[in-house]
Amino acid sequence: MERDEMHRMIRVDQAGEFGATRIYKGQLAVMGDRGPHSAEIRHMAEQEEGHRARFDEMLAKRGVRPTALQPFWSAAGYALGAGTALLGPEAAMACTAAVEEEIDRHYSEQLDRLAESDSDPELSDMIEEFREDERQHRDAALANGAERAPAYPLLSGAIRLGCRIAIKVSERV
């Protein structure tokens, strides 16, 4: 696997984990510590912080530049989290389920690509570990009423499309 492709993977994954931390910060700002699902969201946020920190370390260690869009993803992630929380706890869970579904798909594609070249076991192991956490987040969101959110198919589809766009843009910019 080429060095540039590896750097794109690390860059986009760090951006995604950063974005996830911002989504949860936005949700918690609206829902507070006592809202429905707040404990679950705090737990997921802590895991995402750990993921982001590990990708930050990898960026520094390997000399990978972060995405230039980080300030935009900070604001967009926070707005998405706060906006869905304003729609209600089920909408906040729908946001989590949609984001994590796309991240599962994205990480699975990366793992397939890494397996083809068997070139970076450290990155492969990290992505595999984080993918399992993301799957647990998705499953928890579904168990906590994500599909009961107003206009769930539309909301989920829009968030998933936004994630796919963010992934493509963050790989390059």
Side-chain angles (χ1 to χ4, degrees):
M1 178 176 295
E2 293 180 19
R3 178 180 166 272
D4 287 347
E5 184 176 2
M6 197 77 63
H7 281 207
R8 281 193 303 271
M9 282 185 181
I10 296 166
R11 177 179 307 111
V12 71
D13 292 351
Q14 187 275 344
E17 297 296 349
F18 173 74
T21 66
R22 298 299 295 157
I23 290 168
Y24 290 129
K25 281 195 187 304
Q27 288 178 342
L28 289 170
V30 170
M31 296 172 70
D33 286 337
R34 300 184 199 275
H37 316 305
S38 291
E40 186 76 37
I41 291 170
R42 261 194 318 282
H43 172 71
M44 291 186 270
E46 289 168 6
Q47 284 186 311
E48 300 294 2
E49 274 296 334
H51 297 174
R52 185 206 46 80
R54 287 182 55 198
F55 272 118
D56 285 351
E57 290 172 17
M58 189 173 273
L59 282 175
K61 183 172 90 173
R62 297 188 183 194
V64 178
R65 70 164 179 79
T67 179
L69 295 172
Q70 193 139 343
F72 176 77
W73 297 144
S74 178
Y78 190 90
L80 178 60
T84 55
L86 284 168
L87 294 173
E90 287 83 13
M93 291 291 104
C95 176
T96 295
V99 168
E100 301 300 18
E101 185 66 31
E102 283 306 309
I103 298 308
D104 178 21
R105 183 188 61 76
H106 169 71
Y107 277 167
S108 293
E109 288 173 1
Q110 285 186 333
L111 286 169
D112 290 345
R113 181 70 181 114
L114 287 163
E116 290 171 11
S117 64
D118 196 31
S119 59
D120 197 327
E122 179 188 20
L123 181 59
S124 293
D125 290 348
M126 206 160 89
I127 291 172
E128 192 164 353
E129 174 189 340
F130 295 171
R131 180 182 65 174
E132 293 311 309
D133 290 343
E134 310 304 356
R135 286 174 172 175
Q136 290 174 8
H137 297 172
R138 178 198 59 216
D139 293 348
L142 291 169
N144 282 295
E147 295 171 313
R148 291 191 309 268
Y152 175 75
L154 181 62
L155 181 62
S156 177
I159 292 169
R160 289 183 67 187
L161 176 61
C163 288
R164 287 191 298 273
I165 292 168
I167 287 167
K168 290 298 178 199
V169 171
S170 291
E171 285 175 336
R172 289 164 175 69
V173 178

